[in-house]
């Protein structure tokens, strides 16, 4: 929620609508692919892999694709 307090007023001041600014912030908070995230640790355990390998070779490519698609969708939304 720190982003809402710092970036929201800046984005609105730059001309984004409040709904657009909130959407961008909410989307950025929903995409968190890191080796210390609970979903990465549990996913690696279930797959029988090391966490770093799981994140680099499985979550990493999915994260890149997700960020690109979400970024393009924000333009059209």
């Amino acid at each position: 929620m720190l982003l809402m307090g710092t970036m929201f007023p800046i984005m609105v001041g730059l001309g984004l609508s409040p709904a657009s600014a909130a959407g961008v912030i909410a989307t950025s908070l929903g995409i968190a692919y890191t080796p210390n995230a609970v979903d990465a640790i549990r996913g690696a355990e279930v797959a029988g892999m090391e966490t770093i390998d799981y994140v680099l070779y499985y979550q990493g490519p999915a994260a890149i694709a997700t960020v690109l698609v979400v970024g393009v969708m924000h333009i059209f939304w």
Side-chain angles (χ1 to χ4, degrees):
M1 283 287 115
L2 180 63
L3 284 175
M4 279 300 275
T6 56
M7 291 305 295
F8 183 79
I10 293 170
M11 288 186 206
V12 172
L14 290 171
L16 270 73
S17 70
S20 295
V24 170
I25 291 169
T27 301
S28 68
L29 295 174
I31 302 171
Y33 296 107
T34 62
N36 62 350
V38 173
D39 59 338
I41 295 168
R42 292 291 298 143
E45 287 176 0
V46 170
M49 302 175 67
E50 291 292 323
T51 306
I52 297 297
D53 292 334
Y54 178 76
V55 171
L56 286 177
Y57 300 117
Y58 293 93
Q59 275 193 330
I64 291 169
T66 302
V67 167
L68 291 174
V69 169
V70 168
V72 170
M73 293 309 295
H74 271 294
I75 293 168
F76 295 108
W77 188 268

